[in-house]
Amino acid sequence: MITRAEAAYLGAVRAFQNPMLDLLHKRHAPLVVSLLSLVFTAERPTVPVADAHTEVGDALDQLRSAGFGDDLPTGTARDLCRQWADAGWLVRQVLDDDVEVYRLSAHAVGALEVAGRAGGARARVSQSRVRTLLDAVERLAQDADPDAMVRVARLDAQIKALQTELERVQRTGVVDEVDDEELLEQAENVVHLMRELPADFARVAESIKAMQRDVVTALRQDARPTGDVLREYLQRGEHVMESTVEGRAFAGALRLIGDPQRLDDLASNLDVVLRHRFARRLDAQQRGDLRDVVRRIEAGLEQVFAAQREASYVITAQVRNHDPLRDRQVDALLRDVMTGMQAWMPDARRFESVPPVRRLPVADVEHLRQTVGDLRSPEPPDPLTDWDDEDGGVPADDARAWGGPHYAELDAHLAAFAASSDDDVDVAAVFDAAPDELRRPVDLLGLLELAHTHGMTETDRLAFVDAVRPDGTRRRLAFGAVTTSTGTSTGTTRTKDDDD
């Protein structure tokens, strides 16, 4: 049984094996932190490999010329970047345009965050930080308490407090001003919280990539039938965000920060903060951090979504293009070849000839088809029937009844109705006065077209008419009524119809 001291020591050893703490524990940690923060910025999260080597080399030359050569490691910029990639601080990847780039790993982002907090202004125990803690605990208690009466009492208290404040402001017209010192503390707390976001986004992307590697490895080693593998891993590929703890937590946070309206409101609120007089007391870096909050959130979201798309694509491509059983057979064949080479090499002499393979082994096939299928159909297709336009066709009267508007008859009816009235007439009255064969729904559209050609005046009321289809069914139509001096009236092109 180990003692408490041994357990604490072993736990610390495991913690320092994390690449983030390992970076900060190295002898040249200040150089690594400074160069990574110089090359990778919020505006440039990925850097082409060649550009990164050049920039790191230029920075090393400047430091050596400034007299820091004794404190710098030996080796070229390319060697240093490769060492950082092997240590897990840099990640190499190939983009869609076949450009190989470096990006910071989640461990490196966390290390830069820790170094930035330690080298910058220390977070103080302020009213803003304590309020953030109290609000978080209160929210946690509300979400964890299932008692409906307690929730009602809390909401009622909040409503009363807000109502009291609203009445006071409406009565006095005065808003209590907050001291600049307190506003400064709140702004520093916001900056402190914001600086943790890039590392959180990077950890979510790293967890998705780690899940992708685990799935592909398990897929290659799976001995089950291909159909079972397809069903399971395609499902995991489609729901990759729910496959990790970080991904599920990010999905919950996305419901808050993924709304464009919330981001617009956040940008507006930050603009109000930066225009306040207390913002002049913030240093340039803090003002820049506040100004870039929305952009950093959007960049983090894109980083996570890119990792999710890549994981889904890789898993789906692996499932579609690779057969686990076949891959294992190829691996076994390659291992046999390597074993044979290892057995042959120790006794082989220089320039010794290797006997070639004269013939390939013959496949052991139990039975082959001896006849091919007849491509000809056993029976010819049925002959086509002759079509007679006069037999079985639709009568001309029926086709006309279900056709377009009767413009000529409608125009004559419109003229007759207008002649009997001295004032402007409504299209609804004209349509209702028409015979059934001119009161089809399509005839209403034709009447509106004719009225439009003569000029019309829109009204602010709705008109209702009863249309009659050729089969005798009725349809009640509603449209915006208009009148015309020639006896026509038009409605809007939008119609509303309800069954009688």
Side-chain angles (χ1 to χ4, degrees):
M1 181 177 180
I2 63 175
T3 63
R4 293 179 57 190
E6 292 175 332
Y9 177 75
L10 294 176
V13 170
R14 288 192 298 270
F16 274 88
Q17 291 175 352
N18 184 286
M20 183 184 74
L21 294 182
D22 183 56
L23 187 155
L24 299 175
H25 185 64
K26 291 293 185 182
R27 173 188 172 188
H28 301 292
L31 175 68
V32 179
V33 170
S34 61
L35 293 182
L36 292 182
S37 60
L38 182 65
V39 176
F40 299 92
T41 61
E43 295 80 9
R44 196 171 64 159
T46 60
V47 180
V49 171
D51 295 346
H53 293 165
T54 303
E55 294 179 18
V56 171
D58 293 342
L60 290 174
D61 294 339
Q62 295 174 11
L63 292 176
R64 290 191 179 99
S65 62
F68 296 101
D70 297 337
D71 299 330
L72 301 181
T74 60
T76 63
R78 183 189 301 272
D79 296 335
L80 288 180
C81 290
R82 288 179 177 176
Q83 293 175 10
W84 298 344
D86 295 338
W89 307 332
L90 289 180
V91 178
R92 298 182 68 158
Q93 66 182 68
V94 179
L95 301 181
D96 295 337
D97 51 359
D98 295 334
V99 177
E100 190 174 16
V101 297
Y102 282 126
R103 66 174 178 83
L104 293 178
S105 67
H107 307 294
V109 174
L112 295 182
E113 173 195 343
V114 172
R117 288 203 306 264
R122 295 177 61 89
R124 296 173 291 179
V125 181
S126 60
Q127 179 182 0
S128 177
R129 293 179 63 81
V130 174
R131 184 192 306 160
T132 301
L133 175 63
L134 295 178
D135 291 343
V137 174
E138 181 180 1
R139 181 68 180 179
L140 176 62
Q142 292 179 2
D143 293 340
D145 191 354
D147 193 336
M149 298 304 298
V150 174
R151 177 66 62 88
V152 170
R154 287 176 177 171
L155 293 176
D156 187 56
Q158 294 176 4
I159 292 173
K160 290 181 180 178
L162 293 175
Q163 187 65 33
T164 302
E165 176 66 13
L166 176 62
E167 293 175 355
R168 185 192 68 79
V169 174
Q170 291 177 343
R171 183 177 64 256
T172 62
V174 178
V175 178
D176 294 339
E177 294 189 7
V178 182
D179 184 69
D180 288 355
E181 188 67 27
E182 183 177 348
L183 293 175
L184 183 62
E185 293 176 355
Q186 295 182 21
E188 291 176 349
N189 185 35
V190 172
V191 172
H192 172 75
L193 295 175
M194 184 274 302
R195 287 176 178 173
E196 297 179 354
L197 287 178
D200 294 338
F201 285 123
R203 278 190 287 270
V204 175
E206 289 289 342
S207 67
I208 294 176
K209 290 183 178 296
M211 187 277 302
Q212 166 196 325
R213 291 191 294 269
D214 294 341
V215 169
V216 173
T217 301
L219 179 61
R220 291 175 177 173
Q221 298 174 353
D222 207 320
R224 292 173 295 167
T226 304
D228 296 342
V229 176
L230 288 174
R231 283 189 293 270
E232 177 179 348
Y233 289 107
L234 279 178
Q235 184 177 4
R236 291 190 65 178
E238 293 175 358
H239 304 284
V240 63
M241 188 62 73
E242 289 79 13
S243 301
T244 62
V245 177
E246 294 84 357
R248 289 190 292 270
F250 172 78
L254 183 62
R255 289 191 288 269
L256 294 177
I257 61 177
D259 186 1
Q261 183 61 41
R262 288 183 180 270
L263 293 180
D264 291 342
D265 295 342
L266 176 60
S268 301
N269 294 333
L270 290 173
D271 184 63
V272 173
V273 170
L274 292 173
R275 285 189 284 105
H276 199 275
R277 63 176 180 273
F278 87 92
R280 293 191 293 269
R281 299 177 57 183
L282 298 171
D283 56 39
Q285 182 178 0
Q286 290 176 328
R287 289 196 299 271
D289 291 340
L290 287 175
R291 194 176 294 108
D292 293 342
V293 168
V294 176
R295 186 174 53 80
R296 291 191 178 185
I297 291 177
E298 293 175 344
L301 292 175
E302 179 58 29
Q303 180 182 2
V304 175
F305 292 152
Q308 182 184 10
R309 290 193 298 268
E310 181 181 356
S312 300
Y313 173 78
V314 171
I315 293 174
T316 304
Q318 177 68 28
V319 170
R320 289 177 176 174
N321 302 327
H322 294 274
D323 185 352
L325 297 178
R326 184 189 60 190
D327 291 346
R328 279 198 304 276
Q329 291 175 355
V330 174
D331 292 340
L333 177 60
L334 293 177
R335 283 194 297 269
D336 292 341
V337 172
M338 294 301 297
T339 302
M341 291 289 293
Q342 292 174 359
W344 175 76
M345 286 296 294
D347 299 333
R349 297 180 181 180
R350 190 177 182 183
F351 302 117
E352 182 179 357
S353 61
V354 179
V357 178
R358 298 296 181 181
R359 59 190 300 272
L360 294 175
V362 179
D364 185 12
V365 181
E366 296 181 356
H367 180 71
L368 290 176
R369 290 180 60 93
Q370 298 179 356
T371 58
V372 296
D374 190 356
L375 299 180
R376 293 173 298 179
S377 177
E379 295 181 1
D382 296 334
L384 297 177
T385 58
D386 295 333
W387 178 262
D388 188 358
D389 293 337
E390 297 180 357
D391 295 337
V394 179
D397 294 340
D398 292 346
R400 187 69 181 91
W402 289 96
H406 298 292
Y407 289 105
E409 294 83 351
L410 289 172
D411 196 15
H413 173 67
L414 180 60
F417 193 93
S420 62
S421 176
D422 296 334
D423 298 329
D424 293 346
V425 294
D426 187 1
V427 71
V430 176
F431 187 78
D432 288 336
D436 290 349
E437 58 270 12
L438 295 181
R439 288 172 56 197
R440 301 174 303 157
V442 70
D443 289 325
L444 177 60
L445 297 178
L447 189 60
L448 293 175
E449 293 180 22
L450 294 174
H452 180 71
T453 59
H454 296 293
M456 60 188 179
T457 303
E458 297 184 2
T459 65
D460 57 354
R461 64 183 182 86
L462 279 177
F464 298 89
V465 295
D466 292 327
V468 182
R469 291 195 178 98
D471 58 0
T473 58
R474 293 179 175 271
R475 196 76 166 175
R476 189 169 179 79
L477 304 176
F479 60 97
V482 294
T483 61
T484 177
S485 58
T486 60
T488 61
S489 65
T490 81
T492 61
T493 57
R494 295 173 297 177
T495 61
K496 171 186 172 185
D497 57 290
D498 299 310
D499 290 324
D500 287 338

